[in-house]
Amino acid sequence: MKIVEAKVVVTSPGRNFVTLKLTTDDGLTGLGDATLNGRELAVVSYLEDHVAPLLTGLDPHRIEDTWQYLYRGAYWRRGPVTMAAVAAVDTALWDIKAKAAGMPLYQLLGGASRDRIRAYGHANGATVPELMDSVRARLEEGYQAVRIQTGIPGLKAVYGVHAGVAHQQQRPLVEDWDTEAYLRHLPTVFEAVREEFGPELPLLHDAHHRLTPTQAARLGRDLEPYRPFWLEDCTPAENQEAFRQVRAATTTPLAVGEVFNSVHDYQTLITERLIDYVRSAVTHFGGITPLKKLFDFAALYQIRTATHGPEDISPVGLAAALHLDLAVHNFGIQEYSGHTTLTGEVFRHAYTFADGHLHPGEQPGLGVELDEALAARHPYEQAYLPVNRLQDGSLHDW
């Protein structure tokens, strides 16, 4: 068996997605997600101009060797553009291998370690009453764990609180930020949600890299009475040692990693047990091959998985995550914010969501098929993620 075609498909059924489709000489196809939100076309060029010419003629069954070829062979390693492109190839190869075996992918990863995959949804509101309504809506949809994000008095636009998709525009949306106002407000939000929904509902929160280690330590400590499931991305983790200060100050569980694209980004965090959950996505970490290795590494230190699953991870990337979730023993929880109905039509998928849990389905491969004709009717739209500015106008971490 040989790869005879590598095709990149860009479509925007509500937001942009980049998909690699590999085809073999015996007609098998495999899909990989290469979406890098706000920098999609950089990955398209990387794939079309630099990677696709290397793939034709290769044996699709040699997944590990191909991963090493694309990672080590380029010399310029890591980075989100490179690793999204490598991820797309790796995922597509696993899709082909599982289809050739006539099995759902999770069976090739060791088989199921559980019957279903617990998911958490997103609840948000500009005000606390709006947040309460959003939590109720998630619970009515079946979620049994909820991430809560809310507006902050005095601020106009804050991460995690928006109406619909606010990312399709010619220039980045500018949000505003006041750390002290946030640190004062958030514990009152947790208190209100706990009073309304009780102590048993798992509540998660994303600080989105906006705090210093000292501020993160303070927040983690202030949230302890409300028993959050985790505090996510509490401080920029390029400086892994910063988490020592946070860890020493609070027992609030910590999750990090959605912007990571290499195991080296995690090494100190894992070996010193400075975090409780690894958050990387198949799409941005180089694929299924390295992410499975990361999960096994984390398991040695009693750290669990929590794969990144926002709207800009396509159904291809989400399906790949679900197969891993079902197979690995140290699974923790899966982010699932869902996709638009149109996205589900472009990417027909076997995975299901019911009673707050996901399952990848039993179709051979990933269980996702791309409707290329429908995808072509929804071309790329220029889009950016927002940026964040402090009250004095200086740029801050978004």
Side-chain angles (χ1 to χ4, degrees):
M1 187 188 297
K2 301 293 181 183
I3 298 170
V4 295
E5 184 182 38
K7 181 179 182 180
V8 181
V9 177
V10 184
T11 185
S12 187
R15 66 190 312 147
N16 294 320
F17 297 109
V18 179
T19 307
L20 176 67
K21 181 180 179 180
L22 299 182
T23 303
T24 70
D25 54 2
D26 58 359
L28 288 178
T29 60
L31 299 179
D33 182 20
T35 306
L36 185 62
N37 197 356
R39 295 293 186 270
E40 297 91 350
L41 298 186
V43 188
V44 172
S45 175
Y46 195 102
L47 283 168
E48 291 184 337
D49 298 332
H50 304 291
V51 174
L54 303 175
L55 299 178
T56 54
L58 295 185
D59 180 353
H61 286 304
R62 296 186 62 169
I63 298 176
E64 177 71 26
D65 184 65
T66 300
W67 192 92
Q68 299 293 344
Y69 180 54
L70 296 177
Y71 179 79
R72 297 179 186 274
Y75 184 71
W76 307 108
R77 301 179 186 178
R78 299 189 291 278
V81 174
T82 293
M83 298 309 282
V86 174
V89 176
D90 184 79
T91 304
L93 293 179
W94 277 108
D95 193 17
I96 289 170
K97 183 178 281 286
K99 286 177 180 175
M103 295 180 177
L105 175 58
Y106 74 83
Q107 293 288 10
L108 300 189
L109 300 175
S113 288
R114 58 195 42 81
D115 298 326
R116 54 184 186 163
I117 298 161
R118 180 167 65 159
Y120 72 88
H122 293 180
N124 63 78
T127 65
V128 172
E130 288 183 10
L131 173 63
M132 299 293 194
D133 289 341
S134 184
V135 172
R136 291 187 191 94
R138 299 293 82 76
L139 296 179
E140 289 173 0
E141 291 167 358
Y143 286 100
Q144 299 175 23
V146 182
R147 191 191 79 169
I148 56 173
Q149 309 290 141
T150 185
I152 300 168
L155 301 184
K156 300 183 295 295
V158 176
Y159 165 77
V161 181
H162 57 81
V165 176
H167 304 300
Q168 305 288 96
Q169 66 275 315
Q170 295 302 306
R171 301 182 76 87
L173 172 72
V174 178
E175 297 182 349
D176 54 350
W177 187 247
D178 182 329
T179 301
E180 284 301 317
Y182 166 75
L183 292 174
R184 290 191 303 269
H185 183 61
L186 189 63
T188 69
V189 174
F190 265 81
E191 181 180 27
V193 175
R194 277 280 175 244
E195 183 175 346
E196 178 72 17
F197 295 100
E200 295 182 358
L201 177 64
L203 298 178
L204 304 84
H205 178 73
D206 186 0
H208 224 241
H209 316 280
R210 291 168 297 180
L211 306 179
T212 67
T214 299
Q215 292 164 344
R218 170 183 160 188
L219 180 60
R221 188 173 59 248
D222 289 349
L223 293 180
E224 284 179 11
Y226 312 110
R227 296 290 191 269
F229 186 92
W230 76 35
L231 176 60
E232 177 186 345
D233 291 340
C234 60
T235 192
E238 289 93 334
N239 179 8
Q240 296 182 46
E241 293 81 1
F243 275 74
R244 294 172 182 157
Q245 180 179 352
V246 184
R247 189 60 134 187
T250 180
T251 58
T252 293
L254 303 174
V256 75
E258 67 183 49
V259 299
F260 291 175
N261 49 69
S262 165
V263 67
H264 303 290
D265 298 321
Y266 279 107
Q267 190 166 355
T268 298
L269 295 172
I270 289 176
T271 58
E272 296 188 19
R273 294 182 173 89
L274 301 179
I275 57 173
D276 301 277
Y277 296 90
V278 293
R279 291 273 296 126
S280 293
V282 172
T283 303
H284 302 140
F285 201 75
I288 293 166
T289 296
L291 197 59
K292 175 66 163 58
K293 294 175 183 178
L294 172 70
F295 290 172
D296 291 341
F297 177 39
L300 297 177
Y301 296 87
Q302 297 176 295
I303 295 169
R304 293 190 172 273
T305 75
T307 308
H308 191 41
E311 299 97 328
D312 55 281
I313 299 292
S314 87
V316 176
L318 178 62
L322 297 182
H323 285 279
L324 271 172
D325 292 342
L326 201 69
V328 298
H329 182 262
N330 59 322
F331 168 75
I333 199 167
Q334 172 66 53
E335 181 178 23
Y336 179 61
S337 51
H339 293 99
T340 66
T341 299
L342 180 57
T343 298
E345 294 170 355
V346 172
F347 298 92
R348 298 187 300 273
H349 54 80
Y351 64 76
T352 56
F353 174 75
D355 299 324
H357 291 77
L358 291 149
H359 193 283
E362 299 297 336
Q363 287 186 12
L366 289 173
V368 181
E369 298 298 329
L370 175 64
D371 186 331
E372 293 188 58
L374 182 56
R377 285 159 43 192
H378 301 279
Y380 168 82
E381 299 181 31
Q382 181 143 14
Y384 292 95
L385 289 171
V387 297
N388 199 21
R389 292 190 181 274
L390 300 177
Q391 299 297 288
D392 66 1
S394 57
L395 201 70
H396 191 57
D397 294 303
W398 178 68

